[in-house]
Amino acid sequence: MAVSRPLRRLLGVLEIEEEQCRVALESALSEMIRLERALAGATERERSGRRLVVEGARSGDFTDRLAGLEEARAGRRGAAFLTPQIASAERDAGRRREEFLAKRVERRQVETLLQEAEARDGIAAGRRSQQGLDDWYLNRPASPGSSEGNECIAGRGRRPKGTVFAADET
């Protein structure tokens, strides 16, 4: 019983740490997803700029072509800015995932130790209970006419009458 109380406290602390790591992992993953969506938006902005350039060239409208060129350039600039940030976010998410998994393994190890300690405590309690029952049985008042039976069972005296052992038959 003494072992399981500190293990329970440790398990509680590890559960809290695992939860914090899980929240940090979710945050890193959501940041990475946000950056990937922004990259998709920048890529779409570049595509729409190129379409505007093509439409301006067809219609002969110089301002549409210039606006399309600027739009495509802004999309490329945004993509160039976001690409290293996404790589960094992926590294961060990987690091956080490893931390989370390490905390989960640590918590499960303590859970296993706690279960084993509780099982040992249960076995010890069962043994103590059985020992108490055995002591009670051996020390109970003898019923009339069977005082020899308790002594033989306890190994402190003679055999009950009528008991035959193999060694006696030779």
Side-chain angles (χ1 to χ4, degrees):
M1 300 261 189
V3 172
S4 60
R5 190 175 313 150
L7 282 178
R8 280 186 218 284
R9 276 189 258 137
L10 178 61
L11 181 62
V13 169
L14 291 176
E15 286 173 346
I16 291 169
E17 287 178 351
E18 180 186 356
E19 180 66 19
Q20 288 175 338
C21 286
R22 185 188 62 77
V23 169
L25 173 62
E26 288 176 356
S27 174
L29 289 174
S30 66
E31 176 67 14
M32 187 176 70
I33 290 170
R34 185 187 67 78
L35 289 171
E36 287 173 346
R37 287 182 182 154
L39 178 63
T43 305
E44 180 57 36
R45 185 175 185 185
E46 181 184 3
R47 269 191 228 122
S48 70
R50 285 188 302 214
R51 276 193 303 266
L52 194 56
V53 168
V54 170
E55 289 174 14
R58 282 188 194 148
S59 70
D61 190 5
F62 185 70
T63 56
D64 282 348
R65 283 188 4 208
L66 284 178
L69 287 172
E70 189 57 37
E71 196 71 19
R73 192 166 60 103
R76 281 192 303 274
R77 216 177 28 229
F81 174 76
L82 290 170
T83 303
Q85 286 188 345
I86 290 172
S88 174
E90 286 174 347
R91 285 190 303 273
D92 185 46
R95 183 179 53 80
R96 302 238 183 207
R97 184 176 289 113
E98 288 175 9
E99 288 174 3
F100 171 69
L101 292 175
K103 286 296 178 185
R104 176 174 280 180
V105 166
E106 194 175 348
R107 177 188 54 85
R108 287 187 176 175
Q109 287 173 342
V110 170
E111 280 180 347
T112 301
L113 288 174
L114 181 61
Q115 289 170 354
E116 290 173 358
E118 287 174 345
R120 280 192 308 269
D121 289 347
I123 290 170
R127 285 182 183 151
R128 284 190 300 274
S129 173
Q130 185 61 47
Q131 183 66 42
L133 288 173
D134 291 346
D135 290 346
W136 172 82
Y137 184 78
L138 292 174
N139 295 325
R140 76 184 196 293
S143 59
S146 66
S147 63
E148 293 177 301
N150 282 348
E151 292 174 5
C152 179
I153 291 172
R156 296 179 294 214
R158 295 167 263 130
R159 292 185 299 230
K161 293 180 184 175
T163 306
V164 178
F165 291 102
D168 294 340
E169 292 180 355
T170 58

